[in-house]
Amino acid sequence: MIDNTMFWSAIDNLAAAHWISCSHMARISGIDATALNKSKRTGTGGRRYWMSVGTLVKILDATHTEWAEFAKYFPQNSK
């Protein structure tokens, strides 16, 4: 099961694999440069933020990453 922490780790890992920051990845994806900041990953009251599929598609397109390839950026479950 994918949780919020795993998802955001995959986003961070994708950016690192392309040798760019999350804010640069956001800019080249055509979204707000601050959209992927760690401070924006939780909302009011600690509610965890999940990006839309449309935003994820923009990121994958901008980094030339296939859906199946994106899966390798998720942290491995140690259980």
Side-chain angles (χ1 to χ4, degrees), residues 2-79:
I2 296 172
D3 65 20
N4 186 274
T5 303
M6 292 169 66
F7 175 80
W8 284 108
S9 290
I11 294 293
D12 292 336
N13 293 339
L14 176 62
H18 289 279
W19 299 88
I20 58 176
S21 66
C22 282
S23 61
H24 182 71
M25 188 165 65
R27 283 192 303 275
I28 65 171
S29 301
I31 60 176
D32 183 274
T34 64
L36 305 179
N37 287 0
K38 291 183 192 239
S39 63
K40 302 251 179 135
R41 297 176 184 189
T42 54
T44 55
R47 184 168 181 254
R48 294 179 180 168
Y49 170 70
W50 290 85
M51 72 175 59
S52 71
V53 172
T55 298
L56 181 56
V57 167
K58 288 179 182 181
I59 291 168
L60 296 180
D61 284 347
T63 58
H64 307 287
T65 304
E66 298 290 331
W67 284 94
E69 183 185 352
F70 179 60
K72 77 178 184 181
Y73 295 107
F74 282 84
Q76 299 300 308
N77 189 346
S78 59
K79 292 180 183 179

